[in-house]
Amino acid sequence: MLTVLEAAKSSGVSVKILNRWIKEGKLAAQKMGDVHLIDRIDLNAVLTKESIQPVGVPGENRGDAPEPRLSDVLRRGGIHYG
């Protein structure tokens, strides 16, 4: 799961556009407190539909750390930016 800011950074799409897509129902997101969380697969589906190059999908070796499981994030007390 990605925050809107993380999704924007990884996709090259602005936070404003991602928030608009969420509001319009074009992009599925779960709200946890004040933060919207986006599944990378849902993001890729919208990016493909909008003719934007999708970001890596889970299971691909993208050379970065694996995404935390939502249950682990919740257990730690939420999302922290830093």
Side-chain angles (χ1 to χ4, degrees):
M1 301 294 280
L2 303 169
T3 65
V4 173
L5 181 60
E6 292 167 337
K9 286 180 180 180
S10 68
S11 68
V13 175
S14 74
V15 169
K16 183 178 178 178
I17 290 174
L18 292 175
N19 282 325
R20 187 179 77 220
W21 288 349
I22 292 168
K23 184 177 179 179
E24 292 172 349
K26 187 183 288 189
L27 176 59
Q30 298 177 23
K31 190 158 187 181
M32 302 297 283
D34 294 336
V35 178
H36 280 102
L37 298 175
I38 302 166
D39 188 292
R40 188 179 297 274
I41 293 171
D42 293 332
L43 175 61
N44 285 343
V46 174
L47 294 174
T48 299
K49 192 173 187 177
E50 295 294 320
S51 299
I52 300 170
Q53 179 65 41
V55 295
V57 293
E60 287 184 349
N61 183 3
R62 297 186 333 260
D64 56 0
E67 293 180 40
R69 294 185 319 215
L70 180 57
S71 59
D72 292 338
V73 171
L74 295 174
R75 201 176 0 259
R76 287 194 312 257
I79 304 269
H80 301 282
Y81 296 100

